[in-house]
């Protein structure tokens, strides 16, 4: 749902409407500011849900005792709701960073960032905190959890092969390891997709801060690089949904059930 919200809010309402349907009610300042803030919140939720998914797989595979208590529907609902609420609250200050570009017949149009956003220490500090929260901290957590999960699986597979006699040439199927193998493929597909597609955005942000360049004075190459980073970031959220669809049979069954529900 978070990924689909990114597609709807950022890709359709922000990008496609801007290029193909200019000057609509979506360009009224209160509307476009709310849509922009909700799109950023949805993108952050998508990222942190990926972290939560990675941690859930880590617990399910590496922490047998904790799995019984943590890997439940109730815990999942609490974790996802908590992440969503906290990230929405964290984005509330962004609602006050936009001002209208024009006022026509007493109606404010378009959204531009206030000049104080680029100069006030509080705004700069909050912007860096937001970038640290998403995506730098998720980068570290996902890499750490994936490394620990992969290490645990390698050690466990060796032990199970010894116990099952496969180290002596046996060819017995192991349903447990097969289940873990599928889970790890999904885990690395989701987290690897996130890291690779967010990488350009992160590089552009580091360049912007280290080189001291201003977005408004980017040359053509720098500006294109920035837009490519935004495009790949949005693509990351779009592809997660399709990865779930391809790899998870239960997910496909739920989608089919939802489509058939109005008819039945």
């Amino acid at each position: 749902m978070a990924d689909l919200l990114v597609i709807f809010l950022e890709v359709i309402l922000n990008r496609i409407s801007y290029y193909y349907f200019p000057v609509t009610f979506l360009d009224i300042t209160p509307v476009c500011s709310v849509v922009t803030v909700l799109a950023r919140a949805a993108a952050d939720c998508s990222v942190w849900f990926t972290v939560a998914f990675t941690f859930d797989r880590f617990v399910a595979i590496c922490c047998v005792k904790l799995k019984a208590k943590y890997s439940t529907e109730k815990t999942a609902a609490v974790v996802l709701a908590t992440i969503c609420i906290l990230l929405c609250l964290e984005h509330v200050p962004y609602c006050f960073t936009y001002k209208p570009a024009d006022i026509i017949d007493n109606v404010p149009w378009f959204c531009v960032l206030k000049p104080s956003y680029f100069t006030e220490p509080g705004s700069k500090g909050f912007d860096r905190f937001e970038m640290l929260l998403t995506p730098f901290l998720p980068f570290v957590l996902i890499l750490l959890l994936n490394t620990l999960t992969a290490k645990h699986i390698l050690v466990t597979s060796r032990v199970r092969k010894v116990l099952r006699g496969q180290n002596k040439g046996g060819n017995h199927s192991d349903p447990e390891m097969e289940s873990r193998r599928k889970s790890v493929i999904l885990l690395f597909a989701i987290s690897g997709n996130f890291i690779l597609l967010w990488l350009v955005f992160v590089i552009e942000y580091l360049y912007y801060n280290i080189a001291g360049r201003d977005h408004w004075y980017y040359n053509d190459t720098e500006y294109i690089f920035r837009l490519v980073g935004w495009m790949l970031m949005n693509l990351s959220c779009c592809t997660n949904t399709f990865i779930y669809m391809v790899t998870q049979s239960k997910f496909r069954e739920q989608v089919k059930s939802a489509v058939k529900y109005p008819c039945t």
Side-chain angles (χ1 to χ4, degrees):
M1 181 58 68
D3 294 335
L4 292 174
L5 280 174
V6 174
I7 297 173
F8 177 72
L9 293 169
E10 177 63 24
V11 178
I12 296 177
L13 294 187
N14 265 354
R15 303 293 172 175
I16 293 179
S17 66
Y18 174 79
Y19 287 111
Y20 296 101
F21 304 99
V23 192
T24 65
F25 76 97
L26 292 172
D27 296 311
I28 298 175
T29 302
V31 177
C32 70
S33 62
V34 170
V35 170
T36 302
V37 171
L38 288 177
R40 296 182 68 159
D44 284 7
C45 284
S46 174
V47 171
W48 278 97
F49 288 168
T50 302
V51 176
F53 170 78
T54 306
F55 181 75
D56 180 76
R57 294 297 84 201
F58 168 75
V59 171
I61 294 173
C62 304
C63 309
V64 179
K65 293 182 180 179
L66 182 59
K67 176 182 176 181
K69 297 180 179 179
Y70 181 82
S71 298
T72 63
E73 290 187 7
K74 182 178 179 181
T75 302
V78 171
V79 170
L80 295 179
T82 302
I83 291 174
C84 185
I85 292 171
L86 291 177
L87 289 176
C88 287
L89 291 176
E90 187 252 334
H91 281 79
V92 168
Y94 281 112
C95 294
F96 306 99
T97 61
Y98 294 98
K99 69 173 185 176
D102 295 295
I103 297 179
I104 304 173
D105 295 331
N106 294 324
V107 178
W109 287 92
F110 309 109
C111 292
V112 295
L113 288 169
K114 297 178 180 178
S116 58
Y117 177 80
F118 301 98
T119 57
E120 290 184 357
S123 297
K124 290 183 177 180
F126 183 76
D127 184 63
R128 289 176 181 175
F129 168 76
E130 205 272 336
M131 282 298 298
L132 177 65
L133 190 65
T134 308
F136 286 104
L137 185 56
F139 263 50
V140 175
L141 291 175
I142 286 175
L143 288 174
L144 175 62
L145 291 171
N146 280 347
T147 301
L148 294 175
T149 303
K151 180 180 178 181
H152 178 83
I153 289 174
L154 288 174
V155 173
T156 304
S157 63
R158 292 193 191 115
V159 173
R160 290 181 68 88
K161 283 181 180 180
V162 172
L163 293 176
R164 295 174 67 89
Q166 292 187 359
N167 61 328
K168 297 180 180 180
N171 190 24
H172 309 289
S173 62
D174 190 344
E176 174 66 20
M177 292 309 300
E178 183 65 20
S179 174
R180 291 190 178 193
R181 186 183 69 83
K182 292 180 179 179
S183 181
V184 168
I185 291 174
L186 176 60
L187 169 67
F188 279 89
I190 294 290
S191 54
N193 169 74
F194 161 72
I195 291 173
L196 290 176
L197 294 181
W198 274 78
L199 194 58
V200 175
F201 178 83
V202 171
I203 293 173
E204 188 275 330
Y205 179 82
L206 293 174
Y207 171 77
Y208 166 71
N209 283 275
I210 294 174
R213 296 281 286 167
D214 194 323
H215 288 153
W216 298 108
Y217 300 101
Y218 270 7
N219 59 38
D220 289 344
T221 303
E222 293 167 335
Y223 183 69
I224 292 172
F225 188 79
R226 183 172 187 242
L227 290 184
V228 169
W230 278 96
M231 181 187 69
L232 293 177
M233 181 188 71
N234 292 327
L235 182 63
S236 170
C237 299
C238 298
T239 52
N240 278 355
T241 306
F242 294 103
I243 292 174
Y244 280 120
M245 182 73 73
V246 170
T247 57
Q248 293 278 55
S249 58
K250 291 184 178 180
F251 185 83
R252 294 195 298 270
E253 291 172 3
Q254 290 291 331
V255 173
K256 292 178 182 177
S257 177
V259 173
K260 294 178 181 177
Y261 183 78
C263 301
T264 58

